[in-house]
Amino acid sequence: TQKVFCFGDETVKMNVLEALIEERNKVAEMIRELIAERDAIGGRIGVLQNRLQELNDEVEYTKTEEEHERVAKEAEFAEVLASNDYSLLASEYRGLNTEINKWRKCREGGYKDCDQYLSIVELRERRRKVGDKMLEIERCEQE
């Protein structure tokens, strides 16, 4: 089917079927490009989902590891506290003092990394318990 269009003195013949086929091919190409983009996006999403899962696993592992370390430190502290070894207790007392002083210096310096020392109350409580135990041993030795 052909149509004739007149523009001024020129007559342009356009094949309607060819124009439709050309338009159809353009639309099909646009669809192929979008599908390719969708596949690329899907691939990137897959990679990011894998990375997210790896990070989630690392977070869980770190939480578990920190919990194990905390439990081990508490068990070690309980052993030290239960012992009647004055030198071991004194060493623990000095270690706790060092940690408390680190926290003080950090707070005075206004550093943002001081969050790691937020357990200052616990450190002071432990130091008090160790000091009490040392005092108890000294009293027992004097008797």
Side-chain angles (χ1 to χ4, degrees):
T1 312
Q2 290 188 349
K3 284 193 174 182
V4 176
F5 297 97
C6 296
F7 297 104
D9 293 352
E10 297 179 25
T11 303
V12 179
K13 291 185 179 182
M14 181 179 271
N15 187 336
V16 174
L17 181 57
E18 286 178 5
L20 289 173
I21 290 172
E22 189 177 310
E23 185 66 23
R24 180 194 65 186
N25 290 343
K26 286 179 185 178
V27 170
E29 182 60 30
M30 292 162 98
I31 290 171
R32 281 192 288 278
E33 288 173 4
L34 288 173
I35 288 172
E37 287 178 25
R38 181 188 66 190
D39 292 344
I41 290 170
R44 288 191 306 227
I45 288 172
V47 168
L48 291 174
Q49 284 175 331
N50 289 340
R51 180 64 181 140
L52 179 62
Q53 185 59 49
E54 289 172 2
L55 290 170
N56 284 338
D57 292 345
E58 287 180 32
V59 165
E60 287 303 313
Y61 177 78
T62 303
K63 283 181 182 177
T64 303
E65 189 176 273
E66 287 175 356
E67 179 64 20
H68 286 302
E69 286 177 12
R70 187 187 63 74
V71 168
K73 282 182 181 181
E74 284 183 16
E76 184 179 319
F77 178 74
E79 284 180 31
V80 168
L81 203 56
S83 77
N84 285 328
D85 186 349
Y86 190 86
S87 63
L88 189 60
L89 288 164
S91 176
E92 181 70 18
Y93 191 89
R94 286 189 302 274
L96 291 168
N97 258 349
T98 301
E99 286 298 312
I100 290 169
N101 287 331
K102 281 182 187 177
W103 182 83
R104 283 183 186 141
K105 287 179 186 175
C106 188
R107 296 304 286 176
E108 289 169 4
Y111 300 117
K112 292 181 182 179
D113 295 338
C114 294
D115 292 343
Q116 63 184 339
Y117 297 110
L118 287 180
S119 62
I120 191 69
V121 173
E122 182 181 323
L123 289 173
R124 287 179 177 153
E125 179 66 22
R126 283 183 175 195
R127 183 180 65 178
R128 186 189 59 72
K129 286 180 182 178
V130 171
D132 289 348
K133 183 68 174 185
M134 290 170 60
L135 185 60
E136 180 183 315
I137 291 172
E138 286 177 5
R139 286 182 183 158
C140 287
E141 289 176 358
Q142 288 176 356
E143 291 176 3

